[in-house]
Amino acid sequence: MNLKTLSNGDYAVFLIYFVLVASYGWWVYKRKHNADATSKDYFLAEGSLTWWAIGASLIASNISAEQFIGTSGSAFKMGLAISTYEWMAAITLIIVAVFFIPVYLKNKIFTMPQFLHQRYNGTVAMIMAVFWLLLYIVVNLMSILYLGALAISGISGLDIHLCIWLLAIFAVIITLGGMKVIGYTDVIQVAVLILGGLVATYLALNKLSTFTDTPGIMSGFKSMYNEANDHFHMIFKKDNANYMDLPGLTVLIGGMWITNLNYWGCNQYITQRALGANLKTARGGILFAAFLKLLMPVIVVLPGIAAYVLYQKGMFHQEMMSASGITDPNKAYPSLLNLLPGGLKGLSFAALTAAIVASLAGKANSIATIFTLDIYKKAINPGATDKKLVSLGKWSVVVAMVLGILLSELIGNALMGEGKQGFQYIQEYTGFVSPGIFAMFILGFFWKKATSNAALFATIGGFIMSCFFKLLPRFADLSFLSPYGFSKLALQDDKVTKLYEIPFLDRMGFVFVICVVGMYIISKIDEARGVTTNGLEIDASMFKTSRAFTAGALIVTGIVVALYSIFW
């Protein structure tokens, strides 16, 4: 029997999901569409998203192939520790809601390049607009398409290239309706993906319980915990094989904060959901997303650990083989879903598709927003009408998706296949630009003396320094760093040479500190030369929160502290 097939019941469940999402999206479009809608209304759904729609859309856009496939793959390899991206994100979302969103809304900022133009100058904004477009297409769009298609192919048996095209077409249909359609259809998407993910986790634990004397998911969890105890630690020691990916306390006091704060607070793709709402609604939505984040490891991490235990018991060996015959962690989740019975497999298949499509649609909309409002309108055709901008935005969605398809077809397997962790690929290569971006944003928010020259240093210099630290071990003897936990990197040329590689989270921390110091020095020099700056409108009252929000934030923080205390 070929496990990579879907039954008629599975197709029926998936078809119901597709019809529901498409019909609801069309209803939202017709009900809320205005023929004279402005470009801001199309790209941001200004004022029309509720707190629950914002929160659901944030999670639906975040939880995509890189979570279902990439995070489960990382959980297969390193265990519960990969949950740090989810649980630390819950705290990060609270910080963003309290300190970042009020600044954006108070200063009427709707895109990230607009912030840079308003705070620094047009040159900084244009350079970063191009940077973001390249990052979103080359890293994010490509990886979501490739990993998503890898999963869909692994479950359905369809050709991976066909899966790439089908996912892209589905996402384009959703995206062309604008941010309103994306926001409200994401509510269905996140409900389906959470339900399907929980079903997959339940059945995986139930399967593990068959190897014990007591049936049930609690017995399955105990079995998983006992047989893969090394997969239930949140902080790795220096001698751990996974230290390079999650270097010890760096996940609590180092580069992980830069990754999360940049992603959730300085990312058009994410903040776009909240920028069209008022402060109370935006904060409510972000807090809702923080609670949902706490649940995500149950859906995307536990299945990866369960797949690891089942793999050790002799299952999935064939399904998880790459083309060259090595175990590919990215195939852990699809292999697990093949255990599901008819109907439930279709539900999980729909959940996975929902996650992929929601993330693709959100990313494509952000690409269209930046290209249309921050490049085309600013540099090419300042007098363009709203109708022209909306039309161009729709075309840019199609072009971006085609580019994503071509890149995923050409280099997806080379970069993310053959046993590599797709999630770690995304984090590392995003990390080449995020330290400089975050330094530029954080000083731009809270230090009025930061100048445009300093911002340019962080933008370009941060990227160059990231490349420098990445390549440094290949040209210099860094063995003296070994007491600090830097891992050996073996390069096979004519002989094996032992070098020392800097974990990418630590590298991000170093680059961020250098960028901040560099920005401070350059800004002081500019101040002495009489250079003026454009400070933002900020006052202490902006950061006050309601009692309900404060109570919710304390609950989220308490849960995260408890989780780390238990699984340290």
Side-chain angles (χ1 to χ4, degrees):
M1 176 182 175
N2 181 15
L3 289 176
K4 295 182 178 181
T5 57
L6 294 174
S7 67
N8 291 335
D10 294 325
Y11 282 116
V13 170
F14 181 79
L15 183 62
I16 291 170
Y17 150 74
F18 180 87
V19 171
L20 278 174
V21 172
S23 300
Y24 183 58
W26 177 253
W27 179 79
V28 170
Y29 179 76
K30 295 300 290 183
R31 182 169 177 260
K32 296 181 177 290
H33 177 65
N34 181 347
D36 299 320
T38 65
S39 55
K40 192 178 293 182
D41 186 66
Y42 174 79
F43 292 115
L44 295 167
E46 187 172 19
S48 67
L49 293 183
T50 59
W51 65 267
W52 47 269
I54 290 171
S57 188
L58 281 168
I59 296 302
S61 298
N62 168 246
I63 303 296
S64 180
E66 67 263 35
Q67 262 72 28
F68 268 103
I69 308 308
T71 305
S72 292
S74 292
F76 179 91
K77 181 176 181 291
M78 66 179 68
L80 189 67
I82 198 65
S83 299
T84 191
Y85 281 98
E86 309 300 323
W87 290 338
M88 294 299 287
I91 305 294
T92 302
L93 281 163
I94 292 170
I95 294 172
V96 169
V98 174
F99 296 106
F100 287 37
I101 294 298
V103 176
Y104 289 136
L105 296 181
K106 179 76 172 180
N107 292 273
K108 300 187 186 319
I109 292 167
F110 300 106
T111 72
M112 300 302 97
Q114 179 200 344
F115 161 77
L116 297 176
H117 187 278
Q118 190 169 319
R119 175 60 182 82
Y120 295 112
N121 61 27
T123 302
V124 174
M126 189 59 64
I127 290 173
M128 279 311 305
V130 173
F131 256 74
W132 270 311
L133 282 183
L134 292 175
L135 181 68
Y136 287 169
I137 295 173
V138 175
V139 177
N140 299 102
L141 207 60
M142 181 199 75
S143 62
I144 294 168
L145 274 170
Y146 177 79
L147 290 174
L150 184 71
I152 300 301
S153 175
I155 298 168
S156 65
L158 296 174
D159 180 72
I160 187 171
H161 305 291
L162 175 62
C163 292
I164 288 173
W165 280 93
L166 290 176
L167 286 172
I169 291 169
F170 193 179
V172 167
I173 292 172
I174 296 293
T175 311
L176 293 181
M179 194 63 226
K180 286 176 185 173
V181 174
I182 294 172
Y184 281 104
T185 54
D186 276 352
V187 176
I188 296 179
Q189 310 269 48
V190 80
V192 173
L193 71 89
I194 288 176
L195 178 60
L198 289 174
V199 167
T201 301
Y202 171 82
L203 289 171
L205 294 177
N206 209 43
K207 180 69 176 178
L208 284 170
S209 73
T210 61
F211 296 95
T212 69
D213 297 329
T214 309
I217 60 170
M218 290 308 298
S219 176
F221 181 81
K222 289 178 182 177
S223 173
M224 179 173 66
Y225 184 83
N226 291 331
E227 297 194 35
N229 187 260
D230 60 326
H231 275 52
F232 281 89
H233 298 290
M234 292 299 297
I235 306 296
F236 292 136
K237 296 181 179 179
K238 295 172 184 177
D239 58 353
N240 192 290
N242 298 306
Y243 187 86
M244 283 297 297
D245 292 322
L246 294 173
L249 290 177
T250 296
V251 302
L252 293 179
I253 58 175
M256 183 63 71
W257 284 108
I258 298 168
T259 296
N260 273 304
L261 286 168
N262 177 71
Y263 179 85
W264 293 103
C266 312
N267 186 350
Q268 179 72 29
Y269 170 52
I270 293 299
T271 53
Q272 189 162 341
R273 270 103 187 117
L275 294 184
N278 60 48
L279 181 58
K280 181 180 179 181
T281 303
R283 277 181 169 165
I286 294 172
L287 182 61
F288 179 44
F291 275 102
L292 291 177
K293 261 297 178 186
L294 297 175
L295 181 65
M296 288 304 110
V298 177
I299 298 171
V300 298
V301 175
L302 290 187
I305 303 175
Y308 169 79
V309 176
L310 291 171
Y311 181 85
Q312 298 301 313
K313 293 181 177 294
M315 301 181 66
F316 306 144
H317 281 235
Q318 182 178 354
E319 291 90 337
M320 291 187 62
M321 284 293 179
S322 69
S324 59
I326 63 173
T327 302
D328 185 354
N330 294 320
K331 295 184 177 181
Y333 195 82
S335 298
L336 194 65
L337 292 190
N338 281 315
L339 296 177
L340 303 183
L344 285 177
K345 186 175 178 181
L347 178 64
S348 293
F349 183 61
L352 188 57
T353 306
I356 298 164
V357 169
S359 194
L360 283 172
K363 188 68 71 179
N365 184 267
S366 294
I367 290 169
T369 302
I370 290 175
F371 175 75
T372 306
L373 299 184
D374 297 300
I375 296 180
Y376 180 81
K377 185 171 175 61
K378 292 273 194 328
I380 300 174
N381 186 2
T385 64
D386 275 336
K387 184 177 180 181
K388 171 74 173 177
L389 293 175
V390 171
S391 176
L392 182 66
K394 292 179 178 180
W395 277 109
S396 60
V397 165
V398 176
V399 172
M401 202 65 73
V402 170
L403 288 173
I405 291 170
L406 294 176
L407 286 169
S408 61
E409 295 263 15
L410 290 172
I411 61 177
N413 189 64
L415 291 177
M416 288 176 288
E418 297 303 301
K420 299 176 183 177
Q421 298 175 64
F423 184 76
Q424 296 303 110
Y425 156 81
I426 296 167
Q427 301 307 321
E428 177 169 4
Y429 284 93
T430 302
F432 276 83
V433 296
S434 52
I437 294 173
F438 183 57
M440 181 170 49
F441 268 75
I442 202 70
L443 290 185
F445 282 152
F446 304 114
W447 191 46
K448 292 186 177 182
K449 294 181 180 181
T451 65
S452 57
N453 288 329
L456 281 174
F457 166 77
T459 303
I460 301 172
F463 176 74
I464 292 173
M465 283 184 288
S466 293
C467 295
F468 172 76
F469 282 119
K470 172 69 174 177
L471 298 174
L472 182 62
R474 300 175 185 271
F475 303 104
D477 180 8
L478 301 181
S479 58
F480 68 92
L481 292 173
S482 58
Y484 302 97
F486 291 82
S487 300
K488 294 179 180 178
L489 171 68
L491 299 178
Q492 184 71 50
D493 294 314
D494 296 329
K495 59 181 180 178
V496 174
T497 306
K498 289 184 179 179
L499 301 174
Y500 286 82
E501 186 177 28
I502 302 171
F504 73 87
L505 284 173
D506 287 340
R507 185 174 74 227
M508 289 171 62
F510 297 153
V511 173
F512 173 73
V513 171
I514 293 171
C515 286
V516 170
V517 172
M519 285 187 69
Y520 176 80
I521 293 171
I522 293 171
S523 296
K524 282 297 184 181
I525 293 172
D526 284 341
E527 183 183 14
R529 293 170 49 225
V531 175
T532 59
T533 59
N534 306 311
L536 297 176
E537 187 178 345
I538 294 178
D539 61 76
S541 64
M542 295 165 51
F543 307 119
K544 293 180 180 178
T545 59
S546 66
R547 290 184 179 180
F549 179 90
T550 302
L554 289 174
I555 292 171
V556 169
T557 304
I559 292 173
V560 172
V561 171
L563 288 168
Y564 270 93
S565 299
I566 294 169
F567 296 109
W568 185 274

